[in-house]
Amino acid sequence: MSDISQFLIPAGFRFAATTAGLKPSGRPDFAMIVADEAASAAAMYTANRITAAPLTVDKANMAATGGRVRVVAINAGNANCAAGQAGLDAAYATCNAAAIEFGCTPDEVFPSSTGIIGVPLPAEKLISALPRIKAALGAESDHFQQVAQAILTTDLVEKTAFARLSIEGKEVRIAAVGKGSGMIHPRLVTAVPHATMLVYILTDAEIEPAVLQSMLDSAVNVGFNRISVDGDTSTNDTVLLLASGASGVKIDADHREFAAALKLVATSLARQIVADGEGVKHVVELQIQGATSDADALKVAKYIAHSPLVKTAWAGSDPNWGRLMAAIGNSGAEIDPERIDIWFGDLRICRDGGRAVELDQAAAHAYLLQSEFSIRIELNQGDGSCIFWTTDLTAEYVRINADYST
Amino acid sequence: MSDISQFLIPAGFRFAATTAGLKPSGRPDFAMIVADEAASAAAMYTANRITAAPLTVDKANMAATGGRVRVVAINAGNANCAAGQAGLDAAYATCNAAAIEFGCTPDEVFPSSTGIIGVPLPAEKLISALPRIKAALGAESDHFQQVAQAILTTDLVEKTAFARLSIEGKEVRIAAVGKGSGMIHPRLVTAVPHATMLVYILTDAEIEPAVLQSMLDSAVNVGFNRISVDGDTSTNDTVLLLASGASGVKIDADHREFAAALKLVATSLARQIVADGEGVKHVVELQIQGATSDADALKVAKYIAHSPLVKTAWAGSDPNWGRLMAAIGNSGAEIDPERIDIWFGDLRICRDGGRAVELDQAAAHAYLLQSEFSIRIELNQGDGSCIFWTTDLTAEYVRINADYST
């Protein structure tokens, strides 16, 4: 963390992490974000119908408080999902203990978990770590970075994003921290979460919960809901946005500059999650254009992003565009095969549904050797479009996931 | 081929294959099935909206003849898909030349192609091979097996299935031949095909085209539409059923014994295709029970069969049932997480949505080390059920598909 980051952390929050003993590696696995006073809060959760116990608790707590959060308690190494009543008991026990430790009500605690599904969460390990973590709390960037580190599972790098705005002569800060590498295809909705993307966005602006929720919805829909590593939507995905108000700047619903900064931070973090996807060697930006609607464009992007044959071709930098055509045909979007055009970057690959005359296999292969590249598909049906970020599917992904719990 | 198979080939058909020069390996790549007289025919094709040129021709030909086929011309090594007018021209040129060679009308020819998409098909290679293939035609099992061999692409083994029935004191035979290894998730509908499963079922019973179509629909829906290797539905999938009538036995719509035999043959071939899936080390039979409807059970099966995280866990014989729960939750089926039960074979894994108390990780791991195993999921919602066959996802699958065309 560079010195400049000292000036990036929103006021009104403290951070710490410790080792509670959930990760077999013995690395830090329990992180906390504590607001000096209960912060205004908005959250989105996975659309998976099976959700982890902490999400059930989070939804109940947010409803009870009307969107106020004092303490965010995040553990890695255990998803606390598919654990029945024992899982709920563990999440509530953590809330109760944290409430006592930090002097708030239990429903002002927001628990999150990530890791293996179906193994009971030993809440006592988290609870006994609370005094240690409280003693370690701090508001410096180093403390913030401890959170970024402790919440990782199969991630290789920490993921953070920052923005600063000058509003009415005062400084407003936004900081985001997240994790996610496999089981990444967030489908976040306002009332639900799925399993392995956790994102916490903090600001010291003063924003009412309802306004915060609306801003979060917009930012998530152009960020986290536009990425996929493996198409598996987790049972634990959660995005939480907290506003401490410590900057003294009040933001209302039509503040475009703040909303834009929030989207930038969300998109940056979303792309970092894709780039750190399990076994990923190539990050792909899909630009779908000319669909009958934005929803149809998204159908095409998702089908491509979830096709094992397309993703393995990318792993080999193989310009096998026929597999893209097959995926487009399977997507269910309105298409006319003979009007489809495809480019790899600036290279024309397909014209009117057939091989472009200027297609140069060697140049196309060379383009796909890059670690990041873009594919543009023009359907020539209408004005619908989307941008979507995804990855290749490598033998390394298989290796990572073929021995996860054994 | 054992001697017994000499008695399995339906009367009224001849077979041959040759090397037309489409496969880089130089192996046989052009096969023909020729009926002595135009056979009654029914077909189903892929639901992919982008379909290969031969399918366009097949649908037109079948409509023109009302379901009569003399010659089936199948090439491997080139899918003749996404090739525009040139692709259609190539398919029609093959039909015209075959019609002259075999003395039938061009619309009695049924072309099929499998292989790479987006590369123009050199029809002249097929056309110049026609005299060779005609000279080689024969009705023995060896000739039938030549077809089974020539239509393979990434398949490792030939796939055939046979049935014999005694009806009214006469023998009726059914023989099926197919190929398919990757891009396997057939979604066959009566008016369309998708790219890489090709199946030809022959019988010497006498059956009207409309009855044949109805029997084919039923057999496909419990066979080929219940398998998935990688979830990618091809642009070329085709199942063709031909009835020569040479046995002298007329079968009508309510003949249960024949319909049952046809389903057995279709299911056998479907399972062979899954077992020979690209890079497959484990074949999995999914038994979904207690869904609110059969359609909901199928949703669950397909979501599981298409989850990279579930499939990679199988590759590692990892009893990580939490990934099954996540897939069930994503399927969109009506579920109550706390009523879900899961068995691996006879081993109880999950009870009421949580880890079964008797779960023995070592025993579960040992069970999943087998090359074939079954997973039963009881949703406890209703009477809907399905059986579905799928596979693991291995590093070998990635290797095969990361250098397909390069």
Side-chain angles (χ1 to χ4, degrees):
Chain A
M1 203 74 185
S2 65
D3 282 331
I4 212 168
S5 66
Q6 298 293 348
F7 308 104
L8 295 176
I9 307 298
F13 298 99
R14 286 176 302 151
F15 315 91
T18 189
T19 300
L22 297 173
K23 286 181 181 170
S25 65
R27 304 194 68 169
D29 49 18
F30 187 32
M32 283 199 150
I33 301 171
V34 180
D36 297 342
E37 298 175 48
S40 176
M44 292 179 78
Y45 312 92
T46 186
N48 194 312
R49 289 197 188 195
I50 295 181
T51 59
L55 306 193
T56 305
V57 174
D58 293 336
K59 289 174 219 173
N61 286 356
M62 290 283 280
T65 61
R68 316 295 297 181
V69 169
R70 261 299 299 288
V71 176
V72 183
I74 314 153
N75 76 269
N78 186 309
N80 194 15
C81 183
Q85 188 58 43
L88 282 172
D89 291 347
Y92 277 117
T94 307
C95 291
N96 290 337
I100 293 167
E101 193 75 36
F102 294 96
C104 64
T105 59
D107 54 17
E108 289 176 322
V109 181
F110 190 100
S112 290
S113 298
T114 178
I116 190 165
I117 303 174
V119 176
L121 174 69
E124 67 284 0
K125 289 189 178 179
L126 300 182
I127 292 168
S128 68
L130 287 172
R132 280 205 308 284
I133 215 166
K134 185 180 180 187
L137 284 173
E140 306 296 310
S141 64
D142 282 357
H143 301 98
F144 183 76
Q145 214 63 23
Q146 285 176 31
V147 173
Q149 172 61 236
I151 64 178
L152 304 183
T153 53
T154 52
D155 309 59
L156 298 179
V157 299
E158 299 159 15
K159 297 166 191 74
T160 56
F162 303 94
R164 285 196 294 178
L165 298 90
S166 179
I167 299 176
E168 301 162 11
K170 292 178 182 167
E171 183 167 282
V172 171
R173 297 173 183 177
I174 303 174
V177 56
K179 63 83 57 180
S181 184
M183 211 180 250
I184 295 297
H185 173 216
R187 292 181 294 137
L188 294 158
V189 294
T190 301
V192 210
H194 172 94
T196 323
M197 188 188 75
L198 298 178
V199 171
Y200 307 91
I201 309 177
L202 313 173
T203 177
D204 46 19
E206 182 185 345
I207 312 177
E208 283 305 302
V211 174
L212 210 56
Q213 188 69 54
S214 157
M215 285 179 166
L216 182 62
D217 285 10
S218 300
V220 163
N221 281 330
V222 296
F224 305 108
N225 281 354
R226 291 290 175 276
I227 62 173
S228 180
V229 172
D230 51 19
D232 275 320
T233 303
S234 166
T235 50
N236 294 44
D237 290 338
T238 304
V239 178
L240 178 67
L241 171 57
L242 298 181
S244 71
S247 69
V249 177
K250 190 162 165 44
I251 301 281
D252 48 28
D254 55 1
H255 200 294
R256 291 192 178 183
E257 194 190 358
F258 184 87
L262 188 64
K263 284 184 184 176
L264 272 179
V265 165
T267 305
S268 167
L269 210 62
R271 294 194 64 161
Q272 290 177 56
I273 287 169
V274 169
D276 193 25
E278 289 172 350
V280 167
K281 295 213 167 52
H282 296 92
V283 173
V284 186
E285 176 170 293
L286 294 172
Q287 304 166 353
I288 313 299
Q289 301 174 341
T292 52
S293 65
D294 289 352
D296 246 25
L298 194 57
K299 275 188 198 170
V300 170
K302 287 189 172 186
Y303 225 97
I304 290 172
H306 299 157
S307 161
L309 285 170
V310 168
K311 293 168 91 75
T312 49
W314 289 338
S317 302
D318 181 347
N320 188 334
W321 62 275
R323 294 184 184 173
L324 288 171
M325 291 291 281
I328 296 167
N330 278 325
S331 69
E334 282 301 319
I335 57 161
D336 176 349
E338 298 183 3
R339 299 190 69 186
I340 295 172
D341 299 322
I342 303 175
W343 289 259
F344 293 174
D346 292 330
L347 301 172
R348 184 77 173 236
I349 301 298
C350 164
R351 174 181 284 113
D352 301 334
R355 180 194 191 120
V357 287
E358 62 267 51
L359 170 57
D360 174 342
Q361 289 280 347
H365 174 61
Y367 179 75
L368 299 183
L369 284 171
Q370 302 174 101
S371 62
E372 296 200 19
F373 54 80
S374 70
I375 292 181
R376 180 157 65 95
I377 293 168
E378 172 59 64
L379 299 175
N380 288 304
Q381 297 289 310
D383 291 331
S385 68
C386 79
I387 304 268
F388 199 94
W389 295 282
T390 188
T391 69
D392 56 1
L393 169 60
T394 67
E396 178 68 6
Y397 175 90
V398 176
R399 198 197 58 73
I400 292 169
N401 286 297
D403 42 54
Y404 180 80
S405 75
T406 49
Chain B
M1 202 75 185
S2 66
D3 284 330
I4 210 166
S5 66
Q6 297 293 346
F7 306 103
L8 295 174
I9 308 297
F13 299 100
R14 287 176 300 152
F15 315 92
T18 189
T19 300
L22 298 173
K23 285 183 182 169
S25 65
R27 304 193 69 168
D29 50 18
F30 187 32
M32 282 199 155
I33 302 171
V34 180
D36 296 343
E37 297 176 49
S40 177
M44 293 178 77
Y45 313 92
T46 185
N48 194 313
R49 290 198 186 195
I50 295 180
T51 59
L55 307 191
T56 305
V57 174
D58 292 337
K59 288 174 221 173
N61 285 357
M62 290 283 280
T65 61
R68 314 297 296 181
V69 169
R70 263 298 301 286
V71 176
V72 184
I74 314 153
N75 75 268
N78 187 310
N80 194 15
C81 183
Q85 188 59 44
L88 282 172
D89 291 347
Y92 277 118
T94 307
C95 291
N96 291 335
I100 292 168
E101 194 75 36
F102 293 95
C104 64
T105 60
D107 54 17
E108 289 176 322
V109 180
F110 191 100
S112 290
S113 299
T114 179
I116 190 165
I117 303 175
V119 175
L121 173 70
E124 66 285 0
K125 290 190 178 179
L126 300 182
I127 293 168
S128 67
L130 286 172
R132 282 205 307 283
I133 214 164
K134 185 180 180 186
L137 284 173
E140 307 295 310
S141 65
D142 282 356
H143 301 99
F144 183 74
Q145 215 63 24
Q146 285 175 31
V147 172
Q149 173 61 236
I151 64 177
L152 304 182
T153 54
T154 53
D155 309 58
L156 298 178
V157 300
E158 299 159 15
K159 297 167 191 75
T160 56
F162 303 93
R164 285 196 294 178
L165 298 90
S166 179
I167 299 175
E168 299 161 12
K170 293 179 182 166
E171 183 167 285
V172 171
R173 298 173 183 178
I174 303 175
V177 56
K179 63 82 56 180
S181 183
M183 209 181 250
I184 295 296
H185 172 218
R187 291 181 295 137
L188 295 158
V189 293
T190 301
V192 208
H194 171 95
T196 323
M197 189 190 72
L198 298 179
V199 171
Y200 306 91
I201 309 177
L202 313 174
T203 178
D204 45 18
E206 183 186 345
I207 312 177
E208 284 305 301
V211 173
L212 211 57
Q213 187 70 52
S214 158
M215 287 178 165
L216 182 62
D217 286 11
S218 300
V220 163
N221 281 331
V222 296
F224 307 107
N225 281 354
R226 290 291 176 274
I227 61 173
S228 180
V229 172
D230 52 19
D232 274 320
T233 303
S234 168
T235 49
N236 293 44
D237 289 340
T238 304
V239 178
L240 177 68
L241 171 57
L242 298 182
S244 70
S247 69
V249 177
K250 190 165 165 44
I251 301 282
D252 47 28
D254 55 2
H255 200 293
R256 289 192 181 184
E257 194 190 357
F258 184 87
L262 188 63
K263 283 182 184 177
L264 273 180
V265 165
T267 306
S268 166
L269 208 63
R271 293 193 65 161
Q272 291 177 54
I273 287 169
V274 169
D276 193 24
E278 289 172 351
V280 167
K281 296 215 166 51
H282 297 91
V283 173
V284 186
E285 177 170 293
L286 295 172
Q287 304 165 354
I288 313 297
Q289 301 172 343
T292 52
S293 64
D294 290 352
D296 246 24
L298 194 57
K299 273 188 200 172
V300 170
K302 287 189 173 186
Y303 224 97
I304 290 171
H306 299 158
S307 160
L309 285 170
V310 169
K311 295 168 89 76
T312 49
W314 290 337
S317 302
D318 181 348
N320 188 333
W321 61 275
R323 295 184 185 174
L324 288 171
M325 291 291 281
I328 295 166
N330 278 325
S331 68
E334 282 302 319
I335 58 161
D336 175 351
E338 297 182 5
R339 302 192 67 187
I340 296 173
D341 299 322
I342 302 175
W343 289 259
F344 293 174
D346 293 330
L347 302 172
R348 184 77 173 237
I349 302 297
C350 163
R351 175 181 282 113
D352 301 334
R355 180 193 189 119
V357 287
E358 63 267 52
L359 171 58
D360 174 342
Q361 288 280 345
H365 174 63
Y367 179 75
L368 300 183
L369 283 171
Q370 301 174 102
S371 62
E372 297 201 18
F373 54 80
S374 70
I375 292 181
R376 180 156 65 94
I377 294 169
E378 173 58 66
L379 298 175
N380 287 304
Q381 297 290 310
D383 292 329
S385 69
C386 78
I387 305 266
F388 198 94
W389 296 281
T390 186
T391 69
D392 56 0
L393 169 61
T394 67
E396 178 68 6
Y397 175 90
V398 176
R399 196 197 59 71
I400 291 168
N401 285 296
D403 43 55
Y404 181 80
S405 76
T406 48

